[in-house]
Amino acid sequence: MTRNLTLPLRMTLIVAVLLTATACGTRWTETEWEGVKKVTNGGGKSLGYATSSGVKLLTKDGFAFKDLNRNGELDKYEDWRLPSEERARDLASKMSVKQIAGLMLYSAHQAIPGAAGRFGAARYSGKPFAESGANPWDLSDAQKEFLSNDDLRHVLITTVESPETAARWNNNVQALVEGIGLGIPANNSSDPRHRTKADAEYNAGSGGTISMWPDAIGLAATFDPGIVQQFGEIASKEYRALGIATALSPQIDLATEPRWSRFAGTFGEDPQMATDMARAYVDGFQTSQGEAELEGGWGFESVNAMVKHWPGGGSGEAGRDAHYGFGKYAVYPGGQFELHLRPFTEGAFRLKGATGVASAVMPYYTISFNEDKKYGENVGNAYSKFIITDLLREKYGYPGVVCTDWGVTREHTAVDRFGATPWGVEGLSEAEKHYRALMAGVDQFGGNNAAGPVVEAYEMGVKEHGEAKMRARFEASAVRLLLNMFRTGLFENPYLNVEATEATVGKAEFMTAGFEAQRKSVVMLKNQSGALPLKREATVYIPQRYIPESRSFFGAVTPARHEDALNLEIAGKYFNVTSDPEKADAALVVIASPASGLGYQAKEGYLPLSLQYGEYTAEHARAVSLAGGDPLEKSANRSYRGKKVTAANVNDLKAVLDARRKMGVKPVIVVLNLANPTVVAEFEKAASAILVNFGVQDQALLDVATGATEPSGLLPLQMPADMRTVEEQAEDTPHDMKPHVDAAGNAYDFGFGLNWAGVIQDERGKKYKKSGGR
């Protein structure tokens, strides 16, 4: 389908207009590229502005400045020579209440182009994208609305069609907002977007759409903060090339509850490791160097890191997640609440780099049950004055932005509804929820596109506290939010050159670094009789996987299917692949961690979350839950004792046992894609070798399996001996399970891993001994 282009294509001749201005012996030059003018100040900062925005240049002392509010005068916030703090305060003082309210908004998830379906659905001139004739980088109707009428300036980006689309969309957004009011740029953000595509092929020297790295728990398996910092340095360059100046990461919750569905997004359960990884990640993302630096380590290559989730979301009772009402409570039976703060207070808030501290923090949805000893309230963390003001701001002196997680002000209508999470304040109106969170100390509202409720909250505050106090309260948040824009150079030049974007994102050296990290993250747990490495000329049986129907957090249903467990074309470059086990020298069986649901079903109520594949009866669960209560529930007891559950992917277990039966005495290699600690006792004896990976490309796995690289990863978690030890561990306490011990006598405990010589014993293991456990 042919599309009408709003910007000339790259092949169009670029109009270059060189202008010079001389004052006090200083010159500046201006060039134009696809509707964007770039100004080079000799001895000063470079600028960029859109020809369509109406912004003009001011010249003072021989330098050029953008007249963002078009008043013909150089205001402090427009003067790039001044410190960011001074500029932010000046601009905040000029903003109306409505403009500050818009600044406090963080958009709902935005796909580029917008999807036609339920999640991320968008319209273009009233039509779905496919029917609209729009370019993929055009703004949707909703985006135009919240940018223009609600003064929203923080946009959460999900999928993008291509780096080119991201760059052009960014330029369209920035051109629009630059021409509105005070000319405040958009601060675009992203959740982690560097996960691997398992069946993608890596070719040395070749680029890709974006560099691919293991999950956060896989980065932890390297036991090397240097690799995490390298990831941050590379990812930040790719983010900025896509127009992204804020990362909604890292997720530095201590994953002390092994059943939690977000376990793989963390750096594991060890407090010292999580602390070091958090510090390295944020330093990598936030630090600019050389010509890219503007001030204090910040600059054009910096990405604001929004660390999450304060004060730690990894201790949900029985592993249930707080995106739903049935998982709203975080519990601390081991008395380890303060231990969960360490990755923040000693890691992300105490950086080695010049930026000093993570620029933003996100509280989790959870109610930190019975931890507020001052006010005695059990409310979601974003609504807790104790959690946000007393603890985060006052005790730990945190100076940055506090942004709620997405959807905390929405209406609670069902215990199993996703994305509406006003825990503890369910009875308040939407505006009252905003007011409650503001007065608890929050600066920003995730997932909210409309300024109206924030303005209403302001008016409530004026009635209770007076205009002066509420104005000061709003300006304090505005300064924090604006600082993250000034320090990253968005006021100077938020525009992208498409060719530069395409040359940066997924460049060959970035792809290589990510691939090497993937290989270093693979953990070998078992290698009986030297089953690994496989010989290149071997014939290998790789059974297909049955993937059961699944539903994502956002409600999208993926139907059941059979699929190849690996990319067979890639596997064929390593060995001969056969579908006949009788002809095979070895079997390679790929499985995933047990998937037992969310821990609740409307008809059955509360259910176990199982880390084993076969049927599990919760005989050792608590008879009475530690926490409970919801306006839509009759009972506060959330126990599931005596109930049964079987993993949806129980066929993975059957595949291993079936392969062992078919292969007889020949080797059976199990590759476990780990999202949560797993009870491997069900299949360990049937496996000749076990490789654990945390979201890597097939090629990285096969490099390890065939000896192209030696396994070096270490377990950043415990593999439980059985479900009894899972039920009896404390949700808030690390390293408190009985680990599985295999046939060779090896305990699958934190820090364990094998190489070709045997158990790995190196400096990494000495540095990260178990910390914080019982």
Side-chain angles (χ1 to χ4, degrees), residues 382-456:
Y383 294 106
S384 171
K385 184 178 179 182
F386 171 74
I387 294 292
I388 304 301
T389 295
D390 294 61
L391 198 61
L392 179 62
R393 293 284 190 210
E394 295 178 358
K395 181 174 181 178
Y396 292 107
Y398 182 68
V401 168
V402 177
C403 177
T404 75
D405 212 329
W406 266 234
V408 302
T409 60
R410 296 174 190 155
E411 184 180 3
H412 175 48
T413 57
V415 175
D416 58 351
R417 179 189 172 188
F418 172 83
T421 54
W423 309 141
V425 297
E426 291 91 343
L428 299 183
S429 70
E430 186 179 16
E432 287 170 337
K433 291 169 189 168
H434 282 82
Y435 181 51
R436 173 69 188 255
L438 281 168
M439 301 317 290
V442 161
D443 298 303
Q444 197 168 31
F445 299 94
N448 295 16
N449 292 354
V454 186
V455 174
E456 285 187 65

Coordinates of all heavy atoms in Angstrom, one line a residue, residues 382-456:
A382 N 2.2 3.7 46.7 CA 2.1 5.0 46.1 C 1.2 5.9 46.9 O 1.3 7.2 46.8 CB 1.6 4.9 44.7
Y383 N 0.4 5.4 47.8 CA -0.5 6.1 48.6 C 0.0 6.3 50.1 O -0.7 6.9 50.9 CB -1.9 5.5 48.7 CG -2.6 5.5 47.3 CD1 -2.7 4.3 46.6 CD2 -3.2 6.7 46.8 CE1 -3.4 4.3 45.3 CE2 -3.8 6.7 45.6 CZ -3.9 5.5 44.9 OH -4.5 5.5 43.6
S384 N 1.1 5.7 50.4 CA 1.6 5.7 51.7 C 2.6 6.8 52.0 O 3.7 6.9 51.5 CB 2.3 4.3 52.0 OG 3.0 4.4 53.2
K385 N 2.2 7.7 52.9 CA 3.1 8.8 53.3 C 4.3 8.2 54.0 O 5.4 8.8 53.8 CB 2.4 9.8 54.2 CG 3.2 11.0 54.5 CD 2.4 12.0 55.4 CE 3.3 13.2 55.8 NZ 2.6 14.1 56.7
F386 N 4.1 7.2 54.7 CA 5.3 6.5 55.4 C 6.3 6.0 54.4 O 7.5 6.3 54.5 CB 4.8 5.4 56.3 CG 5.9 4.6 56.9 CD1 6.7 5.1 57.9 CD2 6.2 3.3 56.3 CE1 7.8 4.3 58.4 CE2 7.3 2.6 56.8 CZ 8.0 3.1 57.9
I387 N 5.8 5.3 53.4 CA 6.7 4.7 52.4 C 7.4 5.8 51.5 O 8.6 5.7 51.2 CB 6.0 3.7 51.5 CG1 5.5 2.5 52.3 CG2 6.8 3.2 50.3 CD1 6.5 1.6 52.9
I388 N 6.7 6.8 51.1 CA 7.2 7.7 50.1 C 7.9 8.9 50.8 O 9.1 9.2 50.5 CB 6.1 8.3 49.2 CG1 5.4 7.1 48.5 CG2 6.7 9.3 48.2 CD1 6.3 6.3 47.6
T389 N 7.2 9.6 51.7 CA 7.8 10.8 52.3 C 8.7 10.4 53.5 O 9.9 10.8 53.5 CB 6.7 11.7 52.8 OG1 6.0 12.2 51.7 CG2 7.3 12.9 53.5
D390 N 8.2 9.7 54.5 CA 9.0 9.5 55.7 C 10.2 8.6 55.4 O 11.3 8.9 55.9 CB 8.2 8.8 56.8 CG 7.1 9.7 57.3 OD1 6.2 10.1 56.5 OD2 7.1 10.0 58.5
L391 N 10.0 7.6 54.6 CA 11.1 6.6 54.4 C 12.0 7.0 53.2 O 13.2 7.3 53.4 CB 10.5 5.2 54.1 CG 11.5 4.0 54.3 CD1 12.0 3.9 55.7 CD2 10.7 2.7 53.9
L392 N 11.4 7.2 52.0 CA 12.2 7.4 50.8 C 12.8 8.9 50.8 O 14.0 9.1 50.6 CB 11.3 7.2 49.6 CG 12.0 7.5 48.2 CD1 13.1 6.6 48.0 CD2 10.9 7.4 47.1
R393 N 11.9 9.8 51.0 CA 12.4 11.2 51.0 C 13.2 11.6 52.2 O 14.3 12.2 52.0 CB 11.2 12.2 50.8 CG 10.4 12.1 49.6 CD 11.1 12.7 48.4 NE 10.3 12.8 47.2 CZ 10.7 12.8 46.0 NH1 12.0 12.7 45.7 NH2 9.9 12.9 45.0
E394 N 12.7 11.4 53.4 CA 13.3 12.0 54.6 C 14.4 11.1 55.1 O 15.5 11.5 55.4 CB 12.2 12.2 55.6 CG 11.2 13.3 55.2 CD 10.1 13.6 56.2 OE1 10.1 12.9 57.2 OE2 9.3 14.5 55.9
K395 N 14.1 9.8 55.4 CA 15.2 8.9 55.9 C 16.3 8.7 55.0 O 17.5 8.8 55.4 CB 14.6 7.6 56.4 CG 15.6 6.7 57.0 CD 15.0 5.4 57.5 CE 16.1 4.5 58.2 NZ 15.5 3.3 58.8
Y396 N 16.0 8.5 53.7 CA 17.1 8.2 52.7 C 17.4 9.4 51.8 O 18.3 9.2 51.0 CB 16.7 6.9 51.9 CG 16.7 5.7 52.8 CD1 15.5 5.1 53.2 CD2 17.9 5.2 53.3 CE1 15.5 4.0 54.0 CE2 17.9 4.1 54.1 CZ 16.7 3.5 54.5 OH 16.7 2.4 55.3
G397 N 16.8 10.5 52.0 CA 17.1 11.7 51.3 C 17.0 11.6 49.8 O 17.8 12.3 49.1
Y398 N 16.1 10.9 49.3 CA 16.0 10.7 47.8 C 15.5 12.0 47.2 O 14.4 12.5 47.5 CB 15.1 9.5 47.5 CG 15.0 9.3 46.0 CD1 16.1 8.9 45.3 CD2 13.9 9.6 45.2 CE1 16.1 8.7 43.9 CE2 13.8 9.5 43.9 CZ 14.9 9.0 43.2 OH 14.9 8.9 41.8
P399 N 16.3 12.5 46.2 CA 15.9 13.8 45.6 C 15.2 13.7 44.2 O 14.7 14.8 43.7 CB 17.3 14.4 45.3 CG 18.1 13.3 44.9 CD 17.6 12.1 45.8
G400 N 15.0 12.5 43.7 CA 14.5 12.4 42.3 C 13.0 12.3 42.2 O 12.2 12.5 43.1
V401 N 12.5 11.9 41.0 CA 11.1 11.8 40.7 C 10.6 10.5 41.3 O 11.2 9.5 41.2 CB 10.9 11.8 39.1 CG1 9.5 11.4 38.8 CG2 11.3 13.2 38.6
V402 N 9.4 10.6 41.8 CA 8.6 9.4 42.2 C 7.4 9.3 41.3 O 6.6 10.1 41.3 CB 8.2 9.5 43.7 CG1 7.4 8.2 44.1 CG2 9.4 9.6 44.6
C403 N 7.4 8.2 40.5 CA 6.3 8.0 39.6 C 5.5 6.7 40.0 O 6.2 5.7 40.2 CB 6.9 7.8 38.2 SG 5.6 7.5 36.9
T404 N 4.2 6.8 40.0 CA 3.5 5.6 40.4 C 3.6 4.5 39.3 O 3.9 4.9 38.1 CB 2.0 5.9 40.5 OG1 1.4 6.1 39.2 CG2 1.7 7.1 41.4
D405 N 3.3 3.3 39.6 CA 3.2 2.3 38.6 C 1.9 2.5 37.9 O 1.0 3.3 38.3 CB 3.2 0.9 39.3 CG 3.8 -0.1 38.3 OD1 3.7 0.0 37.1 OD2 4.5 -1.1 38.8
W406 N 1.7 1.9 36.8 CA 0.6 2.2 35.8 C -0.8 1.7 36.4 O -0.9 0.6 36.8 CB 0.9 1.5 34.5 CG 1.6 2.4 33.5 CD1 1.2 2.8 32.3 CD2 2.8 3.2 33.7 NE1 2.1 3.7 31.7 CE2 3.1 3.9 32.6 CE3 3.7 3.3 34.8 CZ2 4.1 4.8 32.4 CZ3 4.8 4.2 34.7 CH2 5.0 4.9 33.5
G407 N -1.7 2.6 36.5 CA -3.1 2.3 36.7 C -3.5 2.3 38.2 O -4.6 1.8 38.5
V408 N -2.7 3.0 39.1 CA -3.1 2.9 40.5 C -4.3 3.8 40.8 O -4.9 3.6 41.9 CB -1.9 3.4 41.4 CG1 -0.7 2.5 41.2 CG2 -1.6 4.8 41.2
T409 N -4.7 4.7 39.9 CA -5.9 5.5 40.2 C -7.2 5.0 39.5 O -8.2 5.7 39.6 CB -5.6 7.0 39.8 OG1 -5.3 7.0 38.4 CG2 -4.5 7.5 40.6
R410 N -7.1 3.9 38.9 CA -8.3 3.4 38.2 C -9.2 2.7 39.1 O -8.8 2.3 40.2 CB -7.8 2.4 37.1 CG -7.0 3.0 36.0 CD -6.5 2.0 35.0 NE -5.5 2.6 34.1 CZ -4.6 2.0 33.4 NH1 -4.4 0.6 33.6 NH2 -3.7 2.6 32.6
E411 N -10.4 2.5 38.7 CA -11.5 1.9 39.6 C -11.3 0.4 39.7 O -11.1 -0.3 38.7 CB -12.9 2.2 39.0 CG -14.0 1.7 39.9 CD -15.4 2.0 39.3 OE1 -15.4 2.6 38.1 OE2 -16.4 1.7 39.9
H412 N -11.4 -0.1 40.9 CA -11.3 -1.5 41.2 C -12.7 -2.1 41.1 O -13.6 -1.8 41.8 CB -10.8 -1.7 42.6 CG -10.7 -3.1 43.1 ND1 -10.1 -4.1 42.4 CD2 -11.1 -3.6 44.3 CE1 -10.2 -5.2 43.1 NE2 -10.8 -5.0 44.3
T413 N -12.8 -3.1 40.1 CA -14.1 -3.7 39.8 C -14.2 -5.2 40.0 O -15.2 -5.7 40.0 CB -14.6 -3.3 38.4 OG1 -13.6 -3.8 37.5 CG2 -14.8 -1.8 38.2
A414 N -13.0 -5.8 40.1 CA -13.0 -7.3 40.3 C -11.6 -7.7 40.8 O -10.6 -7.1 40.5 CB -13.2 -8.0 38.9
V415 N -11.6 -8.7 41.7 CA -10.4 -9.1 42.3 C -9.4 -9.6 41.3 O -8.2 -9.5 41.5 CB -10.7 -10.3 43.3 CG1 -9.4 -10.8 43.9 CG2 -11.6 -9.7 44.4
D416 N -9.9 -10.2 40.2 CA -9.0 -10.7 39.1 C -8.9 -9.8 37.9 O -8.5 -10.2 36.8 CB -9.4 -12.1 38.7 CG -10.8 -12.1 38.1 OD1 -11.5 -11.1 38.3 OD2 -11.2 -13.2 37.6
R417 N -9.2 -8.5 38.1 CA -9.1 -7.5 37.0 C -7.6 -7.1 36.9 O -7.0 -6.7 37.9 CB -10.0 -6.3 37.1 CG -9.8 -5.3 36.0 CD -10.6 -4.0 36.3 NE -10.3 -3.0 35.3 CZ -10.6 -1.7 35.3 NH1 -11.4 -1.3 36.3 NH2 -10.3 -0.9 34.4
F418 N -7.1 -7.0 35.7 CA -5.7 -6.6 35.5 C -5.7 -5.1 35.3 O -6.5 -4.5 34.6 CB -5.1 -7.3 34.3 CG -3.7 -6.7 33.9 CD1 -2.6 -7.1 34.5 CD2 -3.6 -5.7 32.9 CE1 -1.4 -6.6 34.2 CE2 -2.4 -5.2 32.6 CZ -1.3 -5.6 33.2
G419 N -4.7 -4.4 35.9 CA -4.4 -3.0 35.6 C -5.2 -1.9 36.3 O -5.0 -0.8 36.0
A420 N -6.0 -2.3 37.3 CA -6.6 -1.3 38.1 C -6.2 -1.6 39.6 O -6.7 -2.6 40.1 CB -8.2 -1.4 38.0
T421 N -5.4 -0.8 40.2 CA -4.7 -1.2 41.4 C -4.7 -0.1 42.5 O -3.6 0.2 43.0 CB -3.2 -1.6 41.0 OG1 -2.6 -0.4 40.3 CG2 -3.1 -2.8 40.1
P422 N -5.8 0.4 42.9 CA -5.8 1.4 43.9 C -5.9 0.8 45.3 O -6.8 1.1 46.1 CB -7.1 2.1 43.6 CG -8.0 1.0 43.1 CD -7.2 0.1 42.4
W423 N -4.9 -0.1 45.6 CA -5.0 -0.9 46.8 C -5.0 0.0 48.1 O -4.2 0.8 48.3 CB -3.9 -1.9 46.9 CG -3.7 -2.7 45.6 CD1 -2.6 -3.1 45.0 CD2 -4.8 -3.2 44.8 NE1 -2.8 -3.8 43.9 CE2 -4.2 -3.9 43.7 CE3 -6.2 -3.2 44.9 CZ2 -5.0 -4.6 42.7 CZ3 -6.9 -3.8 43.9 CH2 -6.3 -4.5 42.8
G424 N -6.0 -0.3 48.9 CA -6.2 0.3 50.2 C -7.0 1.6 50.1 O -7.4 2.1 51.2
V425 N -7.2 2.1 48.9 CA -8.0 3.4 48.8 C -9.1 3.2 47.7 O -9.5 4.1 47.0 CB -7.1 4.6 48.4 CG1 -6.1 4.9 49.5 CG2 -6.4 4.3 47.0
E426 N -9.6 1.9 47.7 CA -10.6 1.6 46.6 C -11.8 2.5 46.6 O -12.5 2.7 45.6 CB -11.0 0.1 46.8 CG -9.9 -0.9 46.5 CD -9.1 -1.3 47.7 OE1 -9.1 -0.5 48.7 OE2 -8.4 -2.3 47.6
G427 N -12.2 3.0 47.8 CA -13.4 3.8 47.9 C -13.3 5.2 47.5 O -14.3 5.9 47.4
L428 N -12.1 5.7 47.2 CA -11.9 7.1 46.8 C -12.3 7.3 45.3 O -12.2 6.4 44.5 CB -10.5 7.5 47.0 CG -10.0 7.5 48.5 CD1 -8.5 8.0 48.5 CD2 -10.8 8.2 49.5
S429 N -12.7 8.6 45.0 CA -12.9 8.9 43.6 C -11.6 9.0 42.9 O -10.5 9.0 43.5 CB -13.6 10.2 43.5 OG -12.8 11.3 44.0
E430 N -11.6 9.1 41.6 CA -10.4 9.2 40.8 C -9.6 10.5 41.3 O -8.3 10.4 41.5 CB -10.7 9.3 39.3 CG -9.4 9.3 38.5 CD -9.7 9.3 37.0 OE1 -10.9 9.6 36.6 OE2 -8.8 9.0 36.2
A431 N -10.2 11.6 41.4 CA -9.5 12.8 41.8 C -9.0 12.7 43.2 O -7.8 13.1 43.5 CB -10.4 14.0 41.7
E432 N -9.7 12.0 44.1 CA -9.3 11.9 45.5 C -8.1 10.9 45.5 O -7.2 11.1 46.4 CB -10.4 11.3 46.3 CG -11.5 12.3 46.6 CD -12.8 11.6 47.2 OE1 -13.0 10.4 47.0 OE2 -13.5 12.4 47.9
K433 N -8.0 9.9 44.7 CA -6.8 9.1 44.6 C -5.6 9.9 44.2 O -4.5 9.7 44.8 CB -7.1 7.9 43.7 CG -8.1 6.9 44.1 CD -8.5 5.9 43.0 CE -9.6 5.1 43.4 NZ -10.2 4.4 42.2
H434 N -5.8 10.7 43.2 CA -4.6 11.6 42.8 C -4.2 12.5 43.9 O -3.0 12.6 44.2 CB -5.0 12.4 41.6 CG -5.0 11.7 40.3 ND1 -6.1 10.9 39.9 CD2 -4.1 11.6 39.3 CE1 -5.8 10.4 38.7 NE2 -4.6 10.8 38.3
Y435 N -5.1 13.0 44.6 CA -4.8 13.9 45.8 C -4.1 13.2 46.9 O -3.0 13.6 47.4 CB -6.0 14.6 46.3 CG -5.8 15.6 47.4 CD1 -4.8 16.6 47.3 CD2 -6.5 15.5 48.6 CE1 -4.6 17.4 48.4 CE2 -6.3 16.3 49.7 CZ -5.4 17.3 49.6 OH -5.1 18.2 50.6
R436 N -4.6 12.0 47.2 CA -4.0 11.2 48.2 C -2.5 10.8 47.9 O -1.6 10.9 48.7 CB -4.8 9.9 48.4 CG -4.2 8.8 49.4 CD -4.2 9.3 50.8 NE -3.4 8.4 51.6 CZ -4.0 7.5 52.5 NH1 -5.3 7.4 52.6 NH2 -3.2 6.7 53.2
A437 N -2.3 10.4 46.6 CA -0.9 10.1 46.2 C 0.0 11.3 46.2 O 1.2 11.3 46.6 CB -0.9 9.5 44.8
L438 N -0.5 12.5 45.7 CA 0.3 13.7 45.7 C 0.7 14.1 47.1 O 1.9 14.4 47.4 CB -0.5 14.8 45.1 CG -0.6 14.9 43.6 CD1 -1.7 15.9 43.2 CD2 0.7 15.3 43.0
M439 N -0.2 14.0 48.1 CA 0.2 14.4 49.4 C 1.0 13.3 50.1 O 1.6 13.6 51.2 CB -1.1 14.7 50.2 CG -2.0 15.8 49.6 SD -1.0 17.2 49.0 CE -0.5 18.0 50.6
A440 N 1.0 12.1 49.6 CA 2.0 11.1 50.1 C 3.4 11.3 49.6 O 4.3 10.8 50.2 CB 1.5 9.7 49.7
G441 N 3.5 12.1 48.5 CA 4.8 12.5 48.0 C 5.1 12.1 46.6 O 6.2 12.3 46.1
V442 N 4.1 11.6 45.9 CA 4.3 11.2 44.5 C 4.4 12.4 43.6 O 3.7 13.5 43.8 CB 3.1 10.3 44.1 CG1 3.0 10.2 42.6 CG2 3.3 8.9 44.7
D443 N 5.2 12.3 42.5 CA 5.4 13.4 41.5 C 4.6 13.2 40.3 O 4.3 14.1 39.5 CB 6.8 13.6 41.2 CG 7.7 14.0 42.3 OD1 7.4 15.0 43.0 OD2 8.7 13.2 42.6
Q444 N 4.3 11.9 39.9 CA 3.9 11.6 38.6 C 3.0 10.3 38.6 O 3.1 9.5 39.5 CB 5.1 11.3 37.7 CG 4.8 11.4 36.2 CD 6.1 11.4 35.4 OE1 7.1 10.9 35.8 NE2 6.0 12.1 34.2
F445 N 2.0 10.3 37.6 CA 1.0 9.2 37.6 C 1.2 8.4 36.3 O 1.0 8.8 35.2 CB -0.4 9.8 37.7 CG -0.6 10.6 38.9 CD1 -0.4 12.0 38.9 CD2 -1.0 10.0 40.1 CE1 -0.6 12.7 40.1 CE2 -1.2 10.7 41.3 CZ -0.9 12.1 41.3
G446 N 1.6 7.1 36.5 CA 1.8 6.2 35.4 C 0.5 5.7 34.8 O -0.4 5.3 35.5
G447 N 0.4 5.8 33.4 CA -0.7 5.3 32.7 C -1.9 6.2 32.6 O -3.0 5.8 32.2
N448 N -1.7 7.5 33.0 CA -2.8 8.5 33.0 C -2.6 9.5 31.9 O -1.6 10.2 31.9 CB -2.9 9.2 34.4 CG -3.3 8.2 35.5 OD1 -3.2 7.0 35.4 ND2 -3.7 8.8 36.6
N449 N -3.6 9.6 31.0 CA -3.4 10.5 29.9 C -4.2 11.8 30.1 O -4.0 12.8 29.3 CB -4.0 9.9 28.6 CG -3.2 8.7 28.1 OD1 -2.1 8.4 28.7 ND2 -3.6 8.0 27.1
A450 N -5.0 11.9 31.1 CA -5.9 13.1 31.3 C -5.4 14.0 32.5 O -5.2 13.5 33.6 CB -7.3 12.7 31.5
A451 N -5.3 15.3 32.2 CA -4.9 16.2 33.3 C -6.0 16.6 34.3 O -5.7 17.0 35.4 CB -4.3 17.5 32.6
G452 N -7.3 16.4 33.8 CA -8.4 16.8 34.7 C -8.3 16.4 36.1 O -8.5 17.2 37.0
P453 N -8.2 15.1 36.4 CA -8.1 14.6 37.8 C -7.0 15.2 38.6 O -7.1 15.4 39.8 CB -8.0 13.1 37.7 CG -8.5 12.8 36.3 CD -8.2 13.9 35.4
V454 N -5.9 15.5 38.0 CA -4.8 16.1 38.7 C -5.1 17.6 39.0 O -4.8 18.0 40.2 CB -3.5 16.1 37.9 CG1 -2.3 16.6 38.7 CG2 -3.2 14.7 37.4
V455 N -5.7 18.3 38.1 CA -6.2 19.6 38.4 C -7.2 19.6 39.6 O -7.2 20.5 40.5 CB -6.8 20.3 37.2 CG1 -7.3 21.7 37.5 CG2 -5.7 20.4 36.1
E456 N -8.1 18.7 39.5 CA -9.1 18.5 40.6 C -8.4 18.3 41.9 O -8.8 18.8 43.0 CB -10.1 17.4 40.3 CG -11.1 17.7 39.3 CD -12.1 16.5 39.2 OE1 -12.8 16.3 40.2 OE2 -12.1 15.8 38.1

